[in-house]
Amino acid sequence: MTVPSVPSAPAVPSATELCVLKALWKRQPQSTREIHDMVAQELGWTLSSTRKTVERMLDKGMVSQASVHGVQVYTPVLEKVGTLAAFARDFGRRVMELDAPLPVAMFTGSKLVDATELAELEHMLNAWPDDEEGGAQ
């Protein structure tokens, strides 16, 4: 069984949702317990908090669910580079109040993206439309 499709606009996950997505981008599919084992130290969560967050992400269409050998496992629906670009763009606009894209040099040395993904991220940040939805100030 799989869940809803990817939202049409680039999704900007919360910081905790991003932590879960990063765990799933590193290894997938994973059960809630496996996800929890990867994020528990960083988030200081109980297993039930991880489970609830994954359920909310399932409802939002950020992850999909399947049954493997009777265990519910999760796979990210949101693509890594596009999600990181949306997150970086949101941070640049809302937090830093920048009108221009963040410089990709900020991401050099990241353990999350390789050189190819870094180039793709740079392209996505520079090509982002200026008239995106939710641009109210």
Side-chain angles (χ1 to χ4, degrees):
M1 158 171 56
T2 57
V3 242
S5 60
V6 182
S8 56
V12 179
S14 69
T16 53
E17 291 167 341
L18 184 61
C19 185
V20 170
L21 285 168
K22 286 170 33 181
L24 287 169
W25 290 328
K26 289 177 183 171
R27 194 181 82 224
Q28 56 183 289
Q30 291 190 64
S31 68
T32 305
R33 166 61 72 184
E34 292 168 320
I35 295 168
H36 176 73
D37 289 346
M38 291 185 73
V39 303
Q41 185 173 6
E42 181 177 344
L43 298 175
W45 280 356
T46 62
L47 178 59
S48 63
S49 295
T50 302
R51 184 173 288 118
K52 187 66 177 170
T53 298
V54 171
E55 288 171 4
R56 282 195 310 269
M57 292 174 71
L58 187 63
D59 291 342
K60 292 178 178 181
M62 294 180 169
V63 297
S64 64
Q65 180 186 61
S67 181
V68 176
H69 305 293
V71 175
Q72 297 301 315
V73 293
Y74 301 89
T75 303
V77 171
L78 297 181
E79 185 268 331
K80 179 169 64 170
V81 176
T83 301
L84 294 175
F87 197 83
R89 179 69 172 203
D90 181 65
F91 175 80
R93 287 216 159 172
R94 282 189 322 107
V95 177
M96 301 305 297
E97 299 181 7
L98 297 172
D99 291 329
L102 291 171
V104 77
M106 285 182 52
F107 306 100
T108 305
S110 169
K111 297 174 187 171
L112 189 59
V113 292
D114 61 27
T116 303
E117 292 168 328
L118 191 61
E120 186 181 349
L121 180 60
E122 179 177 31
H123 173 74
M124 291 181 89
L125 288 173
N126 289 330
W128 207 281
D130 290 331
D131 60 342
E132 62 192 50
E133 289 182 35
Q137 303 207 11

